Amino acid sequence: MKITSISRKLLSKVLSVYFILTFSVTGIQIIAEYFNTKSHINSELLTLQKTISGSLTRAVWELNTQQAVDISEGLIAIPMIKGITVTDEANNVITQLGEVLTFPSQASEEMYNEHQSISSLSEGLFGHSFPLIFEFSGRTTTVGTVTLLSSNDVIFARIEVGIYFLIGNAIVKTAFLIFLFSLAFTKLLTEPLQELTDQMKQLDLHDPEASKFHNMNNERNELNVLEDAYNNLIDELIEFKDKLALSQRETSLANDKLDEQNLLLEQEVARKTSTLSSTLLRMEVQQKDMLAQQHQLEAENNRRRKTESTLITTNKDLKSSIIELSKAQDRLLEAEKMSSLGALSAEISHEINTPIGISITSTSYLSDIIHKLQQDINAQQLSKRTIDSFIDNAQHSVELLLSNLQRAAELIASFKQVAVDQTNDKIRLINVAKYLDEIIRSIHPKLKKTDHSVKINCDPHIEIYTHPGAIAQIIINLIINSIAHAFANINRGEMTIDIALDQQRLVILYRDNGVGVNEEQLEKLFDPFYTTKASKGGTGLGTHIIKNLIEDTLNGSIEAYSKESEGLSYHMSFPDMRYS
């Protein structure tokens, strides 16, 4: 049989673990160096964006194609830049140098609205695309877009020396560790074990005392324990030999007594045999009774099997029903969201009709006075008083027209942003204070019908990456719930929204001064289909949708607090998506 060296086996296992660990750590360091270098390059691209965006915006706005081409040629000369593409507001290419990254048309359209990081693993390219925004008279206009591209070759060129150093360092440490472990295992394990083996081979069963181990070293370790155990075994062997000789003598005496007992046992067996026969007859009767009971048990088992089969079938049907119920609940939740959005659309449409109607009236009046002015000119009856009256009335009509159209535009813009966010699950950066203002403007038609008010306390500089549609749905549902339930018998209700940022988590405290709820209602507040106004069309899904959006979509938490006649409060918090 082939002998396997323990030290070699231990050495191979230790070195295997060390090699895997070293390989993993080196690989992780290389990957970390890659992503760190890529992050630096992305930062440099963002710096270039801030440097060139003004001059490129001016060149594209003034249709100075040559200047845009010169700036692009200067940028492509930078080793880090592998490609640059400049397009106008219609996405027509003004200049395109170096590498080109093809991305979906939908992403191209979105680049006019916000900065995007782009990357392609197949082409080895990455970079940034940002819009060119020109400011004029307080208005901003997107005049085009710029795409700056770099490549993985730039990253590898920067980290090449570091990779060679990491690999060389791992190889040197591994070689030194192999030499050190080999020397240690040989001196501390292989040679002492070989010496113990040689002494064991010299064991003499006739004189065990002479075969005891002698101390091989002065240290106390596992080998000394093995020596002591072996010496104890020798002592027990000597003691066992003495006991064996004594037992042999005692066995001889016991055999003599056993012969006498055998005679007595034969007589006892004969007597017991007759008793056993009668016992066997009684056992046969008991066996028949047991067989009858066994048949009854088999019949009972068959009935239980049938019952179990019926229960399994019923359980499967129940599982199918639960799955269908869950699907129906999901569809009902989605229908509730769309119903809320549809009601909001109807309110916004009705609200927009007022400024548009005023604008139409103002336009009609402006047309009439222009027509009258034309008649006075044709009749050569034009006077300074007529002109002053016309200018005053026209200026008033234009101001009225502009203010009402601006109001309609603001309503449409707010509703459009909120509606798009609620139907789109996209994560984006939002200014929380401005976005809350858009939400409040979108439901202004709902609030306008009441005397209730909404007060927002939020730092205007708080910005986070999150699902804006989920936030809009949460705030709208909370306000509508307060109007429908909290202020049922209150003329002037007040809703307060306090916003704070705590360690990359957005904390929202919503409270109203309504009638509140009791403890039993508070426990069921987030249960689906629980409502106190089922007879008035309530679905009981408002707070349930809020809880699902907070916990599932935003990965946050929500708690409710209330006492009767003291209002209802919600404490919500969720993380900034860029840190989660």
Coordinates of all heavy atoms in Angstrom, one line a residue, residues 124-166:
G124 N -15.7 48.1 -25.9 CA -14.6 48.5 -25.0 C -14.6 50.0 -24.8 O -13.5 50.6 -24.6
L125 N -15.7 50.7 -25.0 CA -15.8 52.2 -24.9 C -16.7 52.6 -23.7 O -17.6 51.9 -23.4 CB -16.3 52.8 -26.2 CG -15.5 52.5 -27.5 CD1 -16.2 53.0 -28.7 CD2 -14.1 53.1 -27.3
F126 N -16.4 53.7 -23.2 CA -17.3 54.3 -22.2 C -17.1 55.8 -22.2 O -16.1 56.3 -22.8 CB -16.9 53.7 -20.8 CG -15.6 54.1 -20.3 CD1 -15.3 55.2 -19.5 CD2 -14.5 53.3 -20.6 CE1 -14.1 55.5 -19.1 CE2 -13.2 53.6 -20.2 CZ -13.0 54.7 -19.4
G127 N -18.0 56.5 -21.5 CA -17.8 58.0 -21.5 C -19.1 58.6 -21.0 O -19.8 58.1 -20.2
H128 N -19.2 59.9 -21.4 CA -20.4 60.7 -20.9 C -21.0 61.4 -22.1 O -20.3 61.8 -23.1 CB -19.9 61.8 -19.9 CG -19.4 61.2 -18.6 ND1 -20.3 60.6 -17.7 CD2 -18.2 61.1 -18.1 CE1 -19.6 60.2 -16.7 NE2 -18.3 60.5 -16.9
S129 N -22.3 61.6 -22.0 CA -23.1 62.3 -23.0 C -23.9 63.4 -22.3 O -24.5 63.1 -21.3 CB -24.0 61.4 -23.8 OG -24.7 62.2 -24.8
F130 N -23.7 64.6 -22.7 CA -24.4 65.7 -21.9 C -25.0 66.7 -22.9 O -24.5 66.9 -24.0 CB -23.5 66.4 -21.0 CG -22.2 67.0 -21.6 CD1 -22.2 68.3 -22.1 CD2 -21.1 66.2 -21.8 CE1 -21.1 68.8 -22.7 CE2 -20.0 66.7 -22.4 CZ -19.9 68.0 -22.9
P131 N -26.1 67.4 -22.5 CA -26.7 68.3 -23.4 C -26.0 69.7 -23.4 O -25.4 70.0 -22.4 CB -28.2 68.4 -22.8 CG -28.0 68.1 -21.4 CD -26.9 67.1 -21.3
L132 N -26.1 70.4 -24.5 CA -25.6 71.8 -24.5 C -26.8 72.7 -24.3 O -27.8 72.8 -25.1 CB -25.0 72.1 -25.9 CG -23.8 71.2 -26.2 CD1 -23.3 71.5 -27.7 CD2 -22.6 71.5 -25.3
I133 N -26.8 73.4 -23.2 CA -28.0 74.2 -22.8 C -27.6 75.7 -22.8 O -26.6 76.1 -22.2 CB -28.4 73.9 -21.4 CG1 -28.8 72.4 -21.3 CG2 -29.6 74.8 -20.9 CD1 -29.2 71.9 -20.0
F134 N -28.3 76.5 -23.6 CA -28.0 77.9 -23.8 C -29.0 78.7 -23.0 O -30.3 78.5 -23.1 CB -28.1 78.3 -25.3 CG -27.7 79.7 -25.6 CD1 -26.4 80.1 -25.6 CD2 -28.7 80.7 -25.8 CE1 -26.1 81.4 -25.8 CE2 -28.4 82.0 -26.1 CZ -27.0 82.4 -26.1
E135 N -28.5 79.7 -22.2 CA -29.4 80.5 -21.4 C -29.5 81.9 -22.1 O -28.5 82.5 -22.4 CB -28.8 80.7 -20.0 CG -28.8 79.3 -19.2 CD -28.4 79.6 -17.7 OE1 -28.3 80.8 -17.4 OE2 -28.3 78.6 -17.0
F136 N -30.8 82.3 -22.2 CA -31.1 83.6 -22.8 C -32.3 84.2 -22.2 O -33.4 83.6 -22.2 CB -31.3 83.4 -24.3 CG -31.5 84.7 -25.1 CD1 -30.5 85.7 -25.3 CD2 -32.8 85.0 -25.5 CE1 -30.8 86.8 -25.9 CE2 -33.1 86.2 -26.1 CZ -32.1 87.1 -26.4
S137 N -32.1 85.4 -21.6 CA -33.2 86.1 -20.9 C -33.9 85.3 -19.9 O -35.1 85.2 -19.8 CB -34.2 86.6 -22.0 OG -33.6 87.4 -22.9
G138 N -33.1 84.5 -19.1 CA -33.7 83.7 -18.0 C -34.3 82.4 -18.5 O -34.8 81.7 -17.7
R139 N -34.3 82.1 -19.8 CA -34.8 80.9 -20.3 C -33.7 80.0 -20.7 O -32.6 80.5 -21.2 CB -35.8 81.1 -21.5 CG -37.0 81.9 -21.1 CD -37.9 82.2 -22.3 NE -39.1 82.9 -22.0 CZ -40.2 82.3 -21.7 NH1 -40.3 81.0 -21.6 NH2 -41.3 83.1 -21.4
T140 N -33.8 78.7 -20.6 CA -32.8 77.7 -21.1 C -33.3 77.0 -22.3 O -34.5 76.6 -22.3 CB -32.5 76.8 -19.9 OG1 -33.7 76.1 -19.5 CG2 -31.9 77.5 -18.7
T141 N -32.4 76.8 -23.2 CA -32.8 76.0 -24.4 C -31.7 75.0 -24.7 O -30.5 75.3 -24.7 CB -32.9 77.0 -25.6 OG1 -33.8 78.0 -25.3 CG2 -33.3 76.2 -26.9
T142 N -32.1 73.8 -25.0 CA -31.2 72.7 -25.4 C -30.9 72.8 -26.9 O -31.8 72.7 -27.7 CB -31.8 71.3 -25.1 OG1 -32.1 71.2 -23.7 CG2 -30.8 70.2 -25.4
V143 N -29.6 73.1 -27.2 CA -29.3 73.4 -28.6 C -28.5 72.2 -29.2 O -28.2 72.2 -30.4 CB -28.4 74.6 -28.7 CG1 -29.1 75.9 -28.2 CG2 -27.1 74.5 -27.9
G144 N -28.2 71.2 -28.4 CA -27.5 70.1 -29.0 C -27.0 69.1 -27.9 O -27.4 69.3 -26.7
T145 N -26.1 68.2 -28.2 CA -25.6 67.3 -27.3 C -24.2 66.9 -27.7 O -23.8 67.0 -28.9 CB -26.4 66.0 -27.2 OG1 -25.9 65.1 -26.2 CG2 -26.4 65.2 -28.5
V146 N -23.4 66.5 -26.7 CA -22.0 66.2 -26.9 C -21.7 64.8 -26.3 O -22.2 64.6 -25.1 CB -21.0 67.2 -26.3 CG1 -19.5 66.8 -26.5 CG2 -21.2 68.6 -27.0
T147 N -21.0 63.9 -26.9 CA -20.6 62.6 -26.4 C -19.1 62.5 -26.4 O -18.5 62.7 -27.5 CB -21.2 61.5 -27.3 OG1 -22.7 61.6 -27.3 CG2 -20.9 60.1 -26.7
L148 N -18.5 62.3 -25.2 CA -17.1 62.2 -25.1 C -16.8 60.7 -24.7 O -17.5 60.2 -23.8 CB -16.6 63.0 -23.9 CG -16.7 64.6 -24.1 CD1 -16.1 65.3 -22.9 CD2 -15.9 65.0 -25.4
L149 N -16.0 60.0 -25.5 CA -15.7 58.6 -25.3 C -14.2 58.4 -25.0 O -13.3 59.0 -25.5 CB -16.1 57.8 -26.6 CG -17.5 57.8 -27.0 CD1 -17.7 57.1 -28.3 CD2 -18.4 57.2 -25.9
S150 N -14.0 57.4 -24.1 CA -12.7 56.9 -23.8 C -12.8 55.4 -24.0 O -13.8 54.9 -24.3 CB -12.3 57.3 -22.4 OG -10.9 56.9 -22.2
S151 N -11.7 54.7 -23.7 CA -11.7 53.2 -24.0 C -10.9 52.5 -22.9 O -10.2 53.1 -22.1 CB -11.1 52.9 -25.4 OG -9.7 53.1 -25.3
N152 N -11.2 51.2 -22.9 CA -10.5 50.3 -21.9 C -9.0 50.3 -22.2 O -8.2 50.1 -21.2 CB -11.0 48.9 -22.0 CG -12.4 48.8 -21.4 OD1 -12.8 49.6 -20.6 ND2 -13.2 47.8 -21.9
D153 N -8.5 50.6 -23.4 CA -7.1 50.6 -23.7 C -6.4 51.7 -22.8 O -5.3 51.6 -22.4 CB -6.8 50.9 -25.2 CG -7.3 49.7 -26.0 OD1 -7.4 48.6 -25.5 OD2 -7.6 49.9 -27.2
V154 N -7.1 52.8 -22.6 CA -6.5 53.9 -21.8 C -6.4 53.5 -20.4 O -5.4 53.7 -19.7 CB -7.4 55.2 -21.9 CG1 -6.9 56.3 -21.0 CG2 -7.5 55.6 -23.4
I155 N -7.4 52.7 -19.9 CA -7.3 52.2 -18.5 C -6.1 51.3 -18.4 O -5.3 51.4 -17.4 CB -8.6 51.6 -18.1 CG1 -9.8 52.6 -18.2 CG2 -8.6 50.9 -16.7 CD1 -11.1 52.0 -17.9
F156 N -6.1 50.3 -19.3 CA -5.0 49.3 -19.2 C -3.6 49.9 -19.3 O -2.6 49.5 -18.7 CB -5.2 48.2 -20.2 CG -6.4 47.4 -20.0 CD1 -7.3 47.1 -21.1 CD2 -6.7 46.9 -18.7 CE1 -8.4 46.3 -20.8 CE2 -7.8 46.1 -18.5 CZ -8.7 45.8 -19.6
A157 N -3.5 51.0 -20.1 CA -2.2 51.6 -20.3 C -1.8 52.3 -18.9 O -0.6 52.3 -18.6 CB -2.2 52.7 -21.4
R158 N -2.8 52.8 -18.2 CA -2.4 53.5 -16.9 C -2.1 52.5 -15.8 O -1.3 52.8 -14.9 CB -3.6 54.4 -16.5 CG -3.8 55.6 -17.4 CD -4.8 56.6 -16.8 NE -5.0 57.7 -17.6 CZ -5.7 58.8 -17.3 NH1 -6.3 58.8 -16.1 NH2 -5.9 59.8 -18.1
I159 N -2.7 51.3 -15.8 CA -2.6 50.4 -14.7 C -1.6 49.2 -15.0 O -1.5 48.3 -14.2 CB -3.9 49.8 -14.2 CG1 -4.5 48.9 -15.3 CG2 -4.9 50.9 -13.9 CD1 -5.8 48.2 -14.9
E160 N -1.0 49.3 -16.2 CA -0.1 48.1 -16.6 C 1.0 47.9 -15.6 O 1.2 46.7 -15.2 CB 0.4 48.4 -18.0 CG 1.3 47.3 -18.6 CD 1.8 47.6 -20.0 OE1 1.5 48.7 -20.5 OE2 2.4 46.7 -20.6
V161 N 1.7 48.9 -15.2 CA 2.9 48.7 -14.3 C 2.4 48.2 -13.0 O 3.0 47.3 -12.4 CB 3.6 50.1 -14.1 CG1 4.7 49.9 -13.1 CG2 4.2 50.5 -15.4
G162 N 1.3 48.7 -12.5 CA 0.7 48.3 -11.2 C 0.3 46.8 -11.3 O 0.5 46.0 -10.3
I163 N -0.2 46.3 -12.4 CA -0.6 44.9 -12.5 C 0.7 44.0 -12.5 O 0.7 43.0 -11.8 CB -1.3 44.7 -13.8 CG1 -2.7 45.4 -13.8 CG2 -1.5 43.2 -14.1 CD1 -3.5 45.3 -15.1
Y164 N 1.8 44.4 -13.2 CA 3.0 43.6 -13.2 C 3.5 43.6 -11.7 O 4.0 42.5 -11.3 CB 4.0 44.3 -14.1 CG 3.7 44.1 -15.6 CD1 4.1 45.0 -16.5 CD2 2.9 43.0 -16.0 CE1 3.8 44.8 -17.9 CE2 2.6 42.8 -17.3 CZ 3.0 43.8 -18.3 OH 2.7 43.6 -19.6
F165 N 3.5 44.7 -11.0 CA 4.0 44.7 -9.7 C 3.2 43.8 -8.8 O 3.7 43.1 -7.9 CB 3.9 46.2 -9.1 CG 4.4 46.3 -7.7 CD1 5.7 46.2 -7.3 CD2 3.4 46.4 -6.7 CE1 6.1 46.3 -6.0 CE2 3.8 46.5 -5.3 CZ 5.1 46.4 -5.0
L166 N 1.8 43.8 -8.9 CA 1.0 43.0 -8.0 C 1.3 41.5 -8.3 O 1.4 40.7 -7.4 CB -0.5 43.3 -8.3 CG -1.0 44.6 -7.8 CD1 -2.4 44.8 -8.2 CD2 -0.9 44.6 -6.2

